[in-house]
Structures are given as structure tokens and as C-alpha cells.
Amino acid sequence: MFSFHVFDHQLARGFQNRFSTQYRCYSVSMLAGPNDRSDVEKGGKIIMPPSALDQLSRLNITYPMLFKLTNKNSDRMTHCGVLEFVADEGICYLPHWMMQNLLLEEGGLVQVESVNLMVATYSKFQPQSPDFLDITNPKAVLENALRNFACLTTGDVIAINYNEKIYELRVMETKPDKAVSIIECDMNAFTGSGNRLDGKTKGIEPSPAPLAPSDIKRGIPNYDFKIGRITFIRNSRPLPRKIVDDDDAINRFIAFSGQGQSLRKKGRKP
């Protein structure tokens, strides 16, 4: 009997340390205020009300704060981080791509639960458009965009913004779990070569090999350098022979040379 009460007490304490509530969700464009919050659309974090922060601070929550979002009507779920706690009470704001993954409409109900996720070691993405592979260095663009994400969920179609254009990528695989945290992690992403929908292939350019000290050629310093003045030194090249000959011919030409002729002959009376 005593052991039963201990188990019941530990179970109750476990539920108390877990944040779980429902909110009506809206896209970021519905967020009131003069400030532009387009930064929320560029990542995988949501905006929650201040009461959530108050409740989370009372619980033994592991940082960084990560949450599982579930649409119980469609049985769709994803994971996210939190950006700020400035939403109206009973409301949370989500990126548009996240609402599409959850099949949620404006004002729909979403279940928000605090979770602990394993740190990512590997992820695999599939661009939903061949335009993404036309980027000079898609791996660098993707790694930079993922800084605005807190976690990844296998099966999600995330959206990133690059050069004022939205690119969608499906999360094909994540390791060591189907949902992972990517905050301060060493993750291999977008490995291998890209495959285009038109059949053409475009590999990722390898990093250039480091130069040996013997390969580095040192120039002659400009001892006449003065602060505030920039001097451009260009190698002089001889002019083509044809141009030189033409210039010589022009220089030899004397305009209006020779003897002039008069219409009237001298010595003739009018």
C-alpha cells in the first residue's frame, strides 16, 4: 500500500512538470501591432501568450523550450520552439507553413505540449522545386536558414526564405529520432548531390584545397603609399602593330600641303 502511494505521487509530479494546453492558432499576418513580424515566417518558432511563460516558469522544464503541436481533428503533429510570449491570452501565432502541415485554418484549435527531444546528428531534405538546386551553394543557404528553427520533424514540409523567394523542402529523414532538436548541434545536412526534376544533376562544389606556403607569391610593397590614397597598378601591354602603324601614318600626314591654284592667272588685265 505504501509503494502504491509513492508511485501515485511520482506519477502526479510527472504530470505537474508537463505543460499541456490548447490554443486557437492564427498565422503571423494576423498578429496585431505596428512591428513587422515576418521573421516568424522564416523559421520554426511560435508566439505564445504571457500566461504560458508564467506556467512554464513554475514547472521543471528543460531548456531550450520545445513543444509538440497536435491537430486532434486531423491527427497531424509537428514540433517547434517558442520565439516570444506576447500573444493574446488563449491564442498562439504560427508560421504559415506550420499551419499547412497541421491542416489548420485560422482560429483552429491546436494542442501544445512541452517535450524533450534528442539532439540531431543527421537530416535529409528533398526540395519541392528544382529552382532550389539552381542556387550557387544550396547547402550553405539551407544551413543558414535552419538557424531560425529549433527542431525538425520527419515528414514536415518546411519553408525557407532566400533572396525574397520562398523555397519548400520536405524533411525526409532525421536521426537519431523522427523529431530532433537542432539547437547548438553538429548535424550533417543535405549531403550528396542534388537531383533535379528535369533529370539533370548538379553536384555540390567541393571546398578548395588549402594553398601550400610555397605556392603563395609575395608582391613588391608600395613604399610610396600614403594614407587616404589608393593606387591601381596595371601591367602595361604593347599596342598592336596595326594600331601603331596607323598612328605613324596620321603623324606623317600634313594637311593642305602642296601648291595652291588660282582661278585667275597673274598678269592678265581684267
Side-chain angles (χ1 to χ4, degrees):
M1 187 70 178
F2 177 75
S3 61
F4 175 79
H5 281 291
V6 172
F7 174 77
D8 183 63
H9 174 70
Q10 292 176 347
L11 184 64
R13 185 175 61 182
F15 274 106
Q16 290 177 356
N17 291 337
R18 178 185 171 196
F19 176 86
S20 180
T21 187
Q22 275 193 341
Y23 293 116
R24 292 200 175 274
C25 65
Y26 294 91
S27 57
V28 182
S29 59
M30 304 291 290
L31 180 61
N35 297 329
D36 180 22
R37 300 315 310 267
S38 58
D39 56 328
V40 185
E41 291 287 358
K42 299 178 182 179
K45 300 178 182 179
I46 65 175
I47 297 179
M48 301 171 66
S51 60
L53 177 60
D54 181 65
Q55 186 177 352
L56 288 165
S57 62
R58 299 172 187 271
L59 303 175
N60 188 20
I61 298 296
T62 304
Y63 289 86
M65 296 182 184
L66 301 177
F67 302 92
K68 176 182 177 182
L69 306 182
T70 308
N71 180 3
K72 294 184 177 181
N73 295 330
S74 61
D75 198 25
R76 299 289 292 269
M77 67 89 181
T78 188
H79 298 80
C80 67
V82 58
L83 186 64
E84 292 180 354
F85 295 90
V86 295
D88 295 335
E89 292 301 329
I91 294 176
C92 67
Y93 295 95
L94 278 64
H96 182 66
W97 69 263
M98 196 175 292
M99 295 187 65
Q100 287 183 319
N101 280 275
L102 294 172
L103 301 179
L104 283 168
E105 297 181 354
E106 301 288 345
L109 290 175
V110 62
Q111 185 75 24
V112 182
E113 305 173 66
S114 60
V115 292
N116 296 326
L117 299 178
M118 301 179 67
V119 178
T121 59
Y122 172 83
S123 62
K124 182 179 180 181
F125 300 86
Q126 181 185 50
Q128 301 299 289
S129 170
D131 296 342
F132 184 74
L133 299 178
D134 291 331
I135 299 176
T136 304
N137 194 341
K139 181 180 179 181
V141 171
L142 178 58
E143 290 177 348
N144 184 65
L146 289 179
R147 296 177 182 177
N148 298 320
F149 288 73
C151 47
L152 294 173
T153 306
T154 301
D156 276 0
V157 177
I158 65 173
I160 64 173
N161 190 325
Y162 177 70
N163 278 350
E164 299 182 355
K165 187 174 181 179
I166 302 298
Y167 297 94
E168 293 184 338
L169 299 97
R170 180 177 297 277
V171 184
M172 301 296 294
E173 184 181 1
T174 56
K175 293 180 181 180
D177 204 351
K178 291 186 176 181
V180 291
S181 170
I182 61 172
I183 298 178
E184 296 181 355
C185 72
D186 185 11
M187 178 181 62
N188 295 324
F190 208 80
T191 59
S193 59
N195 296 321
R196 297 169 55 101
L197 298 180
D198 55 9
K200 298 180 181 179
T201 59
K202 182 177 182 180
I204 299 176
E205 296 296 332
S207 301
L211 294 175
S214 59
D215 297 335
I216 300 176
K217 297 181 180 179
R218 298 184 179 275
I220 301 175
N222 182 10
Y223 296 103
D224 297 329
F225 171 75
K226 294 182 180 180
I227 299 177
R229 190 176 74 178
I230 301 177
T231 303
F232 295 93
I233 302 176
R234 295 181 173 86
N235 295 329
S236 60
R237 291 181 296 180
L239 295 174
R241 184 64 184 173
K242 182 178 179 181
I243 298 178
V244 174
D245 294 342
D246 292 344
D247 291 343
D248 292 342
I250 294 174
N251 294 330
R252 291 195 303 267
F253 172 75
I254 301 176
F256 301 104
S257 61
Q259 185 178 0
Q261 300 293 331
S262 177
L263 297 178
R264 294 180 179 180
K265 292 184 180 181
K266 294 182 179 181
R268 183 177 179 182
K269 294 182 180 180

